[in-house]
Every structure is written in structure tokens, then in C-alpha cells.
Amino acid sequence: MPETNFQIQWPNGTQETCYSPSLVVKKYFEPGQDYPLTEFVSRSRESLRIASDRVQAKFGMPCSLALAQLQKIETAAEQFAKTADAKVKVLTFRDL
């Protein structure tokens, strides 16, 4: 199953490398694009759950790495929830 990492930049400028066990995230994000925080979290939630479901269909169990990545994104996003006009930028993809 093709995997990918996607590099993001949080509203405070810190960068993070995120993991997906499927290239499906490329259908949800565009490199160089800024996403409002809530939209970024929503797109992450949907794409990473689809990715995990694909792993489950192929291997019989959900992808714990995808679900952990989603939890990490949701937790990190909480610190910016009260920041006006908070945006997350998707920088690049790197297929593994």
C-alpha cells in the first residue's frame, strides 16, 4: 500500500511531518494551500479515516499509525482553536 508523508505548517509557524498509509490525502490537500484550522482538521479526519479503512480492508485491522496521526492533529489544533483566522498550510508531500 503506498504511503505518504505530508509536511504542514501550524498557525504559529512550527512545521510538522504527518503520516498517511494511503495516498488518499492527496485528494484532500494541495501543496502550498492554506486551510482554515477547522477545515484542515475536518479534511484530516476524513482522509486519515479513509486511509485507515483501506488498511483494514487489505490487512484485516485499522491502521493505528493513521489513527494516532489524526489524534495528534486534533490535539495540536486545540491550541489554536481560539486564534482568530487560524490557518494551516500544507507544504509538501513525500511518498514513501
Side-chain angles (χ1 to χ4, degrees), residues 1-83:
M1 188 163 240
E3 303 167 285
T4 193
N5 284 335
F6 53 109
Q7 186 79 18
I8 64 169
Q9 183 173 310
W10 289 105
N12 67 357
T14 61
Q15 294 184 8
E16 182 176 345
T17 300
C18 301
Y19 169 80
S20 173
S22 169
L23 300 179
V24 71
V25 294
K26 289 184 173 185
K27 293 182 180 183
Y28 287 80
F29 298 112
E30 185 71 33
Q33 181 72 37
D34 288 321
Y35 296 91
L37 181 66
T38 56
E39 182 180 344
F40 174 77
V41 172
S42 177
R43 287 173 181 248
S44 296
R45 188 175 294 125
E46 188 171 345
S47 63
L48 289 170
R49 285 187 178 153
I50 290 170
S52 179
D53 290 347
R54 288 180 177 182
V55 170
Q56 184 168 5
K58 186 170 184 173
F59 298 107
M61 60 185 163
C63 180
S64 60
L65 291 175
L67 298 176
Q69 181 63 70
L70 175 56
Q71 180 62 46
K72 189 173 181 184
I73 287 170
E74 290 174 334
T75 300
E78 288 175 8
Q79 68 181 305
F80 304 110
K82 294 183 181 179
T83 303

